[in-house]
Amino acid sequence: MSMKNEKNGTEDPSKAGYLGPYLLKQARDMISTTGENIQKVLDLALRAMKSFESSSKGKKSLEFVMCLHVVAALNCRLGKYSEAIPLLERSIEVPDLDVGQNHALAKFAGCMQLGDTYAMLGQLENSILCYTAGLEIQRQVLGEKDTRFGETCRYVSEAHVQAMQFDEAEKLCQMALDIHRENNSSASPEEAADRRLLGLIYDSKGDYEAALEHYVLAGMEMAANGQEAEVASIDCNIGDAYLSMARYDEAICAYQKALTMFKSTKGENHPSVASVYVRLADLYNKIGKFRESKSYCENALRIYTKAVPGTHPEEIASGLVDVSVIYESMNEPDQALKLLQKAIKVYGNAPGQQSTIAGIEAQIGVLYYILGEYMDSYDSLKNAVSKFREIGEKKSAIFGIALNQMGLACVQLYAINEAADLFEEARIILETECGPYHADTLGIYSNLAGTYDAMGRTDDAIEILEFVVGMREEKLGTANPDVDDEKRRLTELLKESGRVGSRKSISLETLLGNKAHIFLENQEISILER
């Protein structure tokens, strides 16, 4: 079937109205029959898109919208997310909500696909904006009782969980649960999925009793539907909740139950089995049984280093990170560092993982700092900070914490002016995200005071330290060692405030020594004098 102009080889405009749908159908058929040569399919879809554009004459064609969706999806499969975004934005503009339900659902699909694309780039804020717009369109078209609307509520709730917006996540998940309960006479897989997510949300908010209640109900519903592997995952969640409540025997029982189920359903060497070993290692580490903890870590690493075919690289990398945290807590930073470096290699340049990779690089920077390798620490943290800036996380708390770590590395390298700039940026972010009285923010204030003192900005250092001492006394009590240390620093500054350049900076000495306030994932880490 030839639709080309014989003179110049271009598409024949008179037949373009037929050519677009024909080429689109060919492209879709090729997608469903082959997973290879995506570029060839994309070229075909692009021809279809151009044919639609030349024949549309301003008409709002849903076939053209579908073509835009297909071209965007193919670009995503090739890792060209930035090229997919303008196509999807255009697909959202074409449908007219006043024309009918089909146009509305096409607009909804575009919003959700655009949200997924932003999520793959790690741009969660933009992703959630798109999902929210799609959810509102679906609500208007289908109503608030439709099970499809309930499914989307849960999907958007999961996005809010990823962004650590737990209140909004809880609201949407509860809506999903209410919808699925009303539409099903008995426990359904959809209701079980809602309950599990709601349990995870309560877990993240620290309400472990409520989390446990939803986990147990979800497990019962999944068991009733024969979802054995899902039941094992729920047992892991139950174990996590018990562990958070320091109910260790019950946590061990839940983990062992999950371990037995995973081994029987997935095999001895499946990453799911390794994930339970990691949980048991963490538990035994917390109760001081380090030999058992290390044994479970080794069991997990044996699986992660020889993964079964079909295992997602992200699953392996995430497991390596989890084990590294345990080794770090057992004061084995060298081993923790090796595992994080392996995790970075496993992730490679995986799309949608840039935020995670940046977080790992920040962690590596902290470990280098602990080991006294300050130049390596600075380089790793600089990479992390650059990635956070690129993906738009310039306002997140973890970005502020990474800036603080980098500032400390600068102090050790005597790059005091750069350190001050980094601490000042970190302070602004933490004040906004956590508040001026949060422990992490106070730690950055303390670091900034030391840096100002080293720069000769004594009055600024005194002003900050007076605030920090007052807040620490209020929160920790006057007898706390941290309060004593900062009161001593403040006293020295007040005594010496009239002298310039006649002493080594007490605050700089403190930053270079054992009282630097460094954080990781909102956890303060003590640096011991070496």
Side-chain angles (χ1 to χ4, degrees):
M1 181 178 178
S2 176
M3 295 189 183
K4 289 193 175 182
N5 189 306
E6 296 296 334
K7 291 182 179 180
N8 55 23
T10 59
E11 310 293 356
D12 185 347
S14 66
K15 298 179 180 178
Y18 303 100
L19 183 59
Y22 171 75
L23 293 173
L24 177 60
K25 184 179 184 304
Q26 271 197 321
R28 295 179 69 190
D29 289 344
M30 287 178 69
I31 292 171
S32 62
T33 56
T34 178
E36 300 177 8
N37 205 349
I38 298 299
Q39 185 61 53
K40 183 178 179 181
V41 184
L42 177 58
D43 292 341
L44 194 62
L46 285 169
R47 282 181 59 200
M49 186 176 77
K50 289 175 183 177
S51 295
F52 277 119
E53 288 173 329
S54 64
S55 66
S56 64
K57 296 179 182 178
K59 293 181 181 178
K60 296 178 178 179
S61 163
L62 291 186
E63 281 190 310
F64 176 51
V65 172
M66 185 187 298
C67 187
L68 290 169
H69 291 171
V70 170
V71 174
L74 291 167
N75 273 306
C76 287
R77 287 177 68 171
L78 291 169
K80 300 176 181 178
Y81 299 99
S82 58
E83 294 182 29
I85 287 172
L87 294 169
L88 291 169
E89 288 175 339
R90 191 174 172 193
S91 80
I92 292 169
E93 293 170 0
V94 172
D96 186 345
L97 295 179
D98 295 329
V99 172
Q101 188 177 95
N102 288 339
H103 274 255
L105 293 179
K107 196 178 188 77
F108 160 78
C111 288
M112 301 306 288
Q113 191 174 341
L114 182 56
D116 289 343
T117 306
Y118 276 126
M120 290 300 292
L121 289 169
Q123 298 182 23
L124 296 182
E125 188 175 337
N126 287 335
S127 175
I128 288 173
L129 286 173
C130 296
Y131 291 149
T132 303
L135 185 68
E136 177 57 24
I137 292 168
Q138 196 180 41
R139 184 190 68 79
Q140 291 178 17
V141 175
L142 301 178
E144 295 184 356
K145 304 297 182 182
D146 194 284
T147 55
R148 291 168 291 178
F149 176 68
E151 290 291 314
T152 308
C153 283
R154 184 171 70 236
Y155 192 82
V156 182
S157 175
E158 288 171 350
H160 281 289
V161 170
Q162 289 293 316
M164 294 190 291
Q165 298 169 355
F166 300 117
D167 289 339
E168 191 61 34
E170 180 185 349
K171 177 183 172 184
L172 287 168
C173 191
Q174 188 62 59
M175 285 174 63
L177 180 60
D178 292 342
I179 292 166
H180 289 131
R181 262 196 315 217
E182 288 180 21
N183 282 277
N184 294 283
S185 56
S186 60
S188 65
E190 292 79 16
E191 184 179 334
D194 296 339
R195 285 200 181 279
R196 185 185 182 189
L197 179 58
L198 199 52
L200 289 167
I201 293 166
Y202 282 127
D203 210 330
S204 300
K205 294 176 74 171
D207 190 348
Y208 305 117
E209 291 284 359
L212 192 59
E213 178 185 345
H214 285 288
Y215 287 149
V216 170
L217 288 171
M220 291 169 61
E221 291 166 356
M222 287 176 176
N225 287 292
Q227 300 170 280
E228 291 183 350
E230 286 79 0
V231 172
S233 296
I234 289 289
D235 285 330
C236 287
N237 297 140
I238 289 171
D240 295 343
Y242 279 133
L243 178 59
S244 297
M245 292 187 285
R247 292 164 63 174
Y248 300 118
D249 289 341
E250 290 161 294
I252 290 171
C253 182
Y255 289 149
Q256 290 292 353
K257 185 180 173 186
L259 188 64
T260 301
M261 182 66 75
F262 277 138
K263 283 182 176 180
S264 65
T265 58
K266 294 180 179 290
E268 298 271 344
N269 297 313
H270 195 275
S272 296
V273 174
S275 72
V276 185
Y277 285 144
V278 173
R279 285 174 159 91
L280 286 164
D282 182 43
L283 186 152
Y284 282 110
N285 181 47
K286 280 183 167 66
I287 62 177
K289 294 188 176 181
F290 303 117
R291 185 187 302 174
E292 290 89 341
S293 177
K294 193 166 289 188
S295 176
Y296 279 119
C297 282
E298 290 166 357
N299 287 339
L301 289 175
R302 272 196 293 272
I303 295 173
Y304 288 136
T305 53
K306 294 182 180 178
V308 295
T311 302
H312 291 294
E314 293 85 354
E315 197 170 2
I316 301 299
S318 176
L320 293 171
V321 172
D322 291 340
V323 177
S324 80
V325 172
I326 297 170
Y327 275 110
E328 184 185 342
S329 70
M330 289 193 287
N331 201 26
E332 295 191 28
D334 288 301
Q335 179 66 8
L337 184 60
K338 289 176 185 176
L339 292 172
L340 290 178
Q341 289 167 335
K342 283 183 181 178
I344 289 283
K345 288 180 181 178
V346 173
Y347 274 120
N349 292 316
Q353 299 295 337
Q354 291 305 296
S355 178
T356 302
I357 292 169
I360 295 172
E361 287 181 333
Q363 172 86 24
I364 288 173
V366 172
L367 290 173
Y368 274 131
Y369 188 99
I370 291 170
L371 292 167
E373 299 177 26
Y374 302 119
M375 197 66 239
D376 288 332
S377 175
Y378 174 84
D379 289 341
S380 187
L381 288 161
K382 188 174 182 179
N383 287 338
V385 165
S386 296
K387 283 189 175 67
F388 281 133
R389 291 192 196 279
E390 286 170 11
I391 61 178
E393 287 203 20
K394 293 179 285 188
K395 297 180 181 178
S396 69
I398 192 169
F399 177 65
I401 290 167
L403 290 169
N404 178 67
Q405 318 298 347
M406 190 174 168
L408 287 169
C410 286
V411 169
Q412 295 291 349
L413 296 169
Y414 291 93
I416 304 301
N417 289 333
E418 185 178 357
D421 291 341
L422 291 164
F423 289 142
E424 285 167 354
E425 187 177 358
R427 179 190 64 178
I428 292 168
I429 293 167
L430 268 291
E431 282 176 342
T432 302
E433 295 300 311
C434 305
Y437 312 119
H438 192 276
D440 289 356
T441 313
L442 291 174
I444 291 172
Y445 286 153
S446 185
N447 292 339
L448 188 57
T451 309
Y452 282 157
D453 182 24
M455 297 169 71
R457 294 172 57 179
T458 308
D459 291 341
D460 291 332
I462 288 172
E463 183 181 347
I464 292 174
L465 271 182
E466 284 177 335
F467 174 77
V468 172
V469 168
M471 289 309 306
R472 288 199 185 278
E473 282 184 340
E474 183 179 322
K475 289 185 174 292
L476 302 176
T478 56
N480 189 278
D482 282 347
V483 177
D484 286 341
D485 175 66
E486 279 162 345
K487 284 176 75 174
R488 178 182 63 80
R489 290 170 62 193
L490 179 58
T491 301
E492 290 288 340
L493 282 174
L494 291 169
K495 284 181 181 178
E496 302 286 344
S497 60
R499 306 177 199 171
V500 180
S502 61
R503 63 183 174 89
K504 179 180 178 181
S505 166
I506 295 294
S507 293
L508 180 59
E509 188 176 62
T510 301
L511 279 173
L512 291 169
N514 69 322
K515 290 293 183 180
H517 293 276
I518 79 169
F519 314 98
L520 187 67
E521 294 177 358
N522 295 325
Q523 297 293 318
E524 188 167 339
I525 302 171
S526 298
I527 302 297
L528 302 177
E529 284 185 320
R530 286 172 287 278

PDB file of all heavy atoms in Angstrom, residues 115-127 351-356 388 391-393:
ATOM      1  N   GLY A 115       2.641  12.108  34.283  1.00  0.00           N
ATOM      2  CA  GLY A 115       3.055  11.940  35.678  1.00  0.00           C
ATOM      3  C   GLY A 115       4.072  10.827  35.832  1.00  0.00           C
ATOM      4  O   GLY A 115       5.074  10.960  36.548  1.00  0.00           O
ATOM      5  N   ASP A 116       3.835   9.705  35.142  1.00  0.00           N
ATOM      6  CA  ASP A 116       4.787   8.586  35.190  1.00  0.00           C
ATOM      7  C   ASP A 116       6.148   8.991  34.632  1.00  0.00           C
ATOM      8  O   ASP A 116       7.191   8.579  35.148  1.00  0.00           O
ATOM      9  CB  ASP A 116       4.240   7.401  34.391  1.00  0.00           C
ATOM     10  CG  ASP A 116       3.056   6.724  35.065  1.00  0.00           C
ATOM     11  OD1 ASP A 116       2.856   6.941  36.275  1.00  0.00           O
ATOM     12  OD2 ASP A 116       2.329   5.980  34.369  1.00  0.00           O
ATOM     13  N   THR A 117       6.133   9.784  33.566  1.00  0.00           N
ATOM     14  CA  THR A 117       7.387  10.207  32.933  1.00  0.00           C
ATOM     15  C   THR A 117       8.182  11.117  33.870  1.00  0.00           C
ATOM     16  O   THR A 117       9.399  10.953  34.024  1.00  0.00           O
ATOM     17  CB  THR A 117       7.104  10.924  31.603  1.00  0.00           C
ATOM     18  OG1 THR A 117       6.288  10.078  30.778  1.00  0.00           O
ATOM     19  CG2 THR A 117       8.391  11.223  30.857  1.00  0.00           C
ATOM     20  N   TYR A 118       7.496  12.062  34.501  1.00  0.00           N
ATOM     21  CA  TYR A 118       8.181  12.915  35.485  1.00  0.00           C
ATOM     22  C   TYR A 118       8.724  12.065  36.640  1.00  0.00           C
ATOM     23  O   TYR A 118       9.819  12.331  37.161  1.00  0.00           O
ATOM     24  CB  TYR A 118       7.229  13.976  36.029  1.00  0.00           C
ATOM     25  CG  TYR A 118       7.110  15.208  35.164  1.00  0.00           C
ATOM     26  CD1 TYR A 118       5.864  15.666  34.718  1.00  0.00           C
ATOM     27  CD2 TYR A 118       8.240  15.941  34.809  1.00  0.00           C
ATOM     28  CE1 TYR A 118       5.753  16.802  33.937  1.00  0.00           C
ATOM     29  CE2 TYR A 118       8.132  17.090  34.024  1.00  0.00           C
ATOM     30  CZ  TYR A 118       6.883  17.512  33.595  1.00  0.00           C
ATOM     31  OH  TYR A 118       6.784  18.652  32.813  1.00  0.00           O
ATOM     32  N   ALA A 119       7.953  11.051  37.060  1.00  0.00           N
ATOM     33  CA  ALA A 119       8.404  10.182  38.158  1.00  0.00           C
ATOM     34  C   ALA A 119       9.684   9.449  37.771  1.00  0.00           C
ATOM     35  O   ALA A 119      10.598   9.292  38.596  1.00  0.00           O
ATOM     36  CB  ALA A 119       7.304   9.190  38.524  1.00  0.00           C
ATOM     37  N   MET A 120       9.766   9.006  36.510  1.00  0.00           N
ATOM     38  CA  MET A 120      10.964   8.318  36.045  1.00  0.00           C
ATOM     39  C   MET A 120      12.184   9.234  36.060  1.00  0.00           C
ATOM     40  O   MET A 120      13.320   8.779  36.202  1.00  0.00           O
ATOM     41  CB  MET A 120      10.750   7.771  34.637  1.00  0.00           C
ATOM     42  CG  MET A 120       9.774   6.614  34.574  1.00  0.00           C
ATOM     43  SD  MET A 120      10.298   5.194  35.566  1.00  0.00           S
ATOM     44  CE  MET A 120      11.748   4.649  34.663  1.00  0.00           C
ATOM     45  N   LEU A 121      11.953  10.527  35.936  1.00  0.00           N
ATOM     46  CA  LEU A 121      13.040  11.509  35.998  1.00  0.00           C
ATOM     47  C   LEU A 121      13.339  11.932  37.428  1.00  0.00           C
ATOM     48  O   LEU A 121      14.247  12.728  37.673  1.00  0.00           O
ATOM     49  CB  LEU A 121      12.685  12.744  35.160  1.00  0.00           C
ATOM     50  CG  LEU A 121      12.701  12.554  33.643  1.00  0.00           C
ATOM     51  CD1 LEU A 121      12.070  13.758  32.954  1.00  0.00           C
ATOM     52  CD2 LEU A 121      14.126  12.344  33.145  1.00  0.00           C
ATOM     53  N   GLY A 122      12.552  11.406  38.388  1.00  0.00           N
ATOM     54  CA  GLY A 122      12.749  11.767  39.786  1.00  0.00           C
ATOM     55  C   GLY A 122      12.124  13.089  40.170  1.00  0.00           C
ATOM     56  O   GLY A 122      12.350  13.595  41.271  1.00  0.00           O
ATOM     57  N   GLN A 123      11.320  13.669  39.275  1.00  0.00           N
ATOM     58  CA  GLN A 123      10.680  14.964  39.544  1.00  0.00           C
ATOM     59  C   GLN A 123       9.299  14.715  40.166  1.00  0.00           C
ATOM     60  O   GLN A 123       8.256  14.816  39.511  1.00  0.00           O
ATOM     61  CB  GLN A 123      10.577  15.783  38.264  1.00  0.00           C
ATOM     62  CG  GLN A 123      11.936  16.118  37.661  1.00  0.00           C
ATOM     63  CD  GLN A 123      11.838  16.972  36.409  1.00  0.00           C
ATOM     64  OE1 GLN A 123      10.849  17.673  36.184  1.00  0.00           O
ATOM     65  NE2 GLN A 123      12.852  16.904  35.564  1.00  0.00           N
ATOM     66  N   LEU A 124       9.304  14.373  41.456  1.00  0.00           N
ATOM     67  CA  LEU A 124       8.078  13.928  42.121  1.00  0.00           C
ATOM     68  C   LEU A 124       7.035  15.030  42.234  1.00  0.00           C
ATOM     69  O   LEU A 124       5.835  14.767  42.147  1.00  0.00           O
ATOM     70  CB  LEU A 124       8.422  13.381  43.507  1.00  0.00           C
ATOM     71  CG  LEU A 124       9.303  12.114  43.528  1.00  0.00           C
ATOM     72  CD1 LEU A 124       9.531  11.653  44.962  1.00  0.00           C
ATOM     73  CD2 LEU A 124       8.673  10.995  42.712  1.00  0.00           C
ATOM     74  N   GLU A 125       7.484  16.265  42.427  1.00  0.00           N
ATOM     75  CA  GLU A 125       6.526  17.367  42.567  1.00  0.00           C
ATOM     76  C   GLU A 125       5.709  17.542  41.289  1.00  0.00           C
ATOM     77  O   GLU A 125       4.471  17.637  41.326  1.00  0.00           O
ATOM     78  CB  GLU A 125       7.269  18.653  42.910  1.00  0.00           C
ATOM     79  CG  GLU A 125       6.355  19.811  43.259  1.00  0.00           C
ATOM     80  CD  GLU A 125       7.115  21.048  43.714  1.00  0.00           C
ATOM     81  OE1 GLU A 125       8.264  20.914  44.183  1.00  0.00           O
ATOM     82  OE2 GLU A 125       6.560  22.154  43.575  1.00  0.00           O
ATOM     83  N   ASN A 126       6.390  17.566  40.139  1.00  0.00           N
ATOM     84  CA  ASN A 126       5.686  17.674  38.857  1.00  0.00           C
ATOM     85  C   ASN A 126       4.826  16.451  38.598  1.00  0.00           C
ATOM     86  O   ASN A 126       3.722  16.541  38.055  1.00  0.00           O
ATOM     87  CB  ASN A 126       6.689  17.836  37.714  1.00  0.00           C
ATOM     88  CG  ASN A 126       7.329  19.215  37.693  1.00  0.00           C
ATOM     89  OD1 ASN A 126       6.752  20.173  38.192  1.00  0.00           O
ATOM     90  ND2 ASN A 126       8.523  19.319  37.140  1.00  0.00           N
ATOM     91  N   SER A 127       5.350  15.294  38.985  1.00  0.00           N
ATOM     92  CA  SER A 127       4.613  14.046  38.804  1.00  0.00           C
ATOM     93  C   SER A 127       3.274  14.086  39.541  1.00  0.00           C
ATOM     94  O   SER A 127       2.220  13.766  38.973  1.00  0.00           O
ATOM     95  CB  SER A 127       5.460  12.875  39.316  1.00  0.00           C
ATOM     96  OG  SER A 127       4.750  11.665  39.255  1.00  0.00           O
ATOM     97  N   PRO A 351      17.170   5.004  34.614  1.00  0.00           N
ATOM     98  CA  PRO A 351      16.226   6.130  34.650  1.00  0.00           C
ATOM     99  C   PRO A 351      15.351   6.084  35.886  1.00  0.00           C
ATOM    100  O   PRO A 351      14.987   5.007  36.372  1.00  0.00           O
ATOM    101  CB  PRO A 351      15.384   5.916  33.380  1.00  0.00           C
ATOM    102  CG  PRO A 351      15.516   4.465  33.063  1.00  0.00           C
ATOM    103  CD  PRO A 351      16.897   4.076  33.499  1.00  0.00           C
ATOM    104  N   GLY A 352      15.044   7.251  36.419  1.00  0.00           N
ATOM    105  CA  GLY A 352      14.173   7.331  37.576  1.00  0.00           C
ATOM    106  C   GLY A 352      14.859   7.047  38.891  1.00  0.00           C
ATOM    107  O   GLY A 352      14.214   7.052  39.944  1.00  0.00           O
ATOM    108  N   GLN A 353      16.173   6.788  38.867  1.00  0.00           N
ATOM    109  CA  GLN A 353      16.893   6.440  40.090  1.00  0.00           C
ATOM    110  C   GLN A 353      17.897   7.518  40.490  1.00  0.00           C
ATOM    111  O   GLN A 353      18.717   7.297  41.370  1.00  0.00           O
ATOM    112  CB  GLN A 353      17.615   5.096  39.905  1.00  0.00           C
ATOM    113  CG  GLN A 353      16.714   3.923  39.620  1.00  0.00           C
ATOM    114  CD  GLN A 353      15.782   3.590  40.770  1.00  0.00           C
ATOM    115  OE1 GLN A 353      16.064   3.932  41.914  1.00  0.00           O
ATOM    116  NE2 GLN A 353      14.680   2.925  40.479  1.00  0.00           N
ATOM    117  N   GLN A 354      17.862   8.668  39.811  1.00  0.00           N
ATOM    118  CA  GLN A 354      18.871   9.682  40.072  1.00  0.00           C
ATOM    119  C   GLN A 354      18.819  10.204  41.514  1.00  0.00           C
ATOM    120  O   GLN A 354      19.850  10.469  42.125  1.00  0.00           O
ATOM    121  CB  GLN A 354      18.712  10.846  39.088  1.00  0.00           C
ATOM    122  CG  GLN A 354      19.068  10.485  37.656  1.00  0.00           C
ATOM    123  CD  GLN A 354      20.471   9.918  37.533  1.00  0.00           C
ATOM    124  OE1 GLN A 354      21.450  10.593  37.808  1.00  0.00           O
ATOM    125  NE2 GLN A 354      20.573   8.658  37.145  1.00  0.00           N
ATOM    126  N   SER A 355      17.618  10.327  42.055  1.00  0.00           N
ATOM    127  CA  SER A 355      17.491  10.782  43.436  1.00  0.00           C
ATOM    128  C   SER A 355      18.089   9.757  44.396  1.00  0.00           C
ATOM    129  O   SER A 355      18.807  10.105  45.345  1.00  0.00           O
ATOM    130  CB  SER A 355      16.016  11.027  43.780  1.00  0.00           C
ATOM    131  OG  SER A 355      15.877  11.424  45.123  1.00  0.00           O
ATOM    132  N   THR A 356      17.793   8.469  44.142  1.00  0.00           N
ATOM    133  CA  THR A 356      18.345   7.401  44.984  1.00  0.00           C
ATOM    134  C   THR A 356      19.861   7.361  44.884  1.00  0.00           C
ATOM    135  O   THR A 356      20.565   7.240  45.894  1.00  0.00           O
ATOM    136  CB  THR A 356      17.753   6.039  44.561  1.00  0.00           C
ATOM    137  OG1 THR A 356      16.333   6.097  44.668  1.00  0.00           O
ATOM    138  CG2 THR A 356      18.291   4.922  45.424  1.00  0.00           C
ATOM    139  N   PHE A 388      21.165  16.288  42.870  1.00  0.00           N
ATOM    140  CA  PHE A 388      19.965  16.826  43.522  1.00  0.00           C
ATOM    141  C   PHE A 388      19.508  18.113  42.834  1.00  0.00           C
ATOM    142  O   PHE A 388      18.314  18.343  42.664  1.00  0.00           O
ATOM    143  CB  PHE A 388      20.235  17.098  45.005  1.00  0.00           C
ATOM    144  CG  PHE A 388      20.193  15.865  45.878  1.00  0.00           C
ATOM    145  CD1 PHE A 388      21.199  15.619  46.801  1.00  0.00           C
ATOM    146  CD2 PHE A 388      19.151  14.959  45.776  1.00  0.00           C
ATOM    147  CE1 PHE A 388      21.159  14.500  47.610  1.00  0.00           C
ATOM    148  CE2 PHE A 388      19.103  13.828  46.575  1.00  0.00           C
ATOM    149  CZ  PHE A 388      20.116  13.599  47.502  1.00  0.00           C
ATOM    150  N   ILE A 391      17.778  17.275  39.335  1.00  0.00           N
ATOM    151  CA  ILE A 391      16.448  16.652  39.336  1.00  0.00           C
ATOM    152  C   ILE A 391      15.421  17.487  40.097  1.00  0.00           C
ATOM    153  O   ILE A 391      14.286  17.055  40.299  1.00  0.00           O
ATOM    154  CB  ILE A 391      16.496  15.228  39.920  1.00  0.00           C
ATOM    155  CG1 ILE A 391      16.991  15.239  41.377  1.00  0.00           C
ATOM    156  CG2 ILE A 391      17.372  14.335  39.066  1.00  0.00           C
ATOM    157  CD1 ILE A 391      17.007  13.869  42.011  1.00  0.00           C
ATOM    158  N   GLY A 392      15.822  18.680  40.526  1.00  0.00           N
ATOM    159  CA  GLY A 392      14.848  19.587  41.120  1.00  0.00           C
ATOM    160  C   GLY A 392      14.560  19.361  42.584  1.00  0.00           C
ATOM    161  O   GLY A 392      13.507  19.756  43.078  1.00  0.00           O
ATOM    162  N   GLU A 393      15.492  18.739  43.317  1.00  0.00           N
ATOM    163  CA  GLU A 393      15.284  18.525  44.753  1.00  0.00           C
ATOM    164  C   GLU A 393      16.028  19.577  45.564  1.00  0.00           C
ATOM    165  O   GLU A 393      16.564  19.307  46.631  1.00  0.00           O
ATOM    166  CB  GLU A 393      15.742  17.116  45.159  1.00  0.00           C
ATOM    167  CG  GLU A 393      14.803  16.031  44.687  1.00  0.00           C
ATOM    168  CD  GLU A 393      14.901  14.754  45.511  1.00  0.00           C
ATOM    169  OE1 GLU A 393      15.395  14.804  46.643  1.00  0.00           O
ATOM    170  OE2 GLU A 393      14.473  13.718  45.013  1.00  0.00           O
TER     171      GLU A 393
END
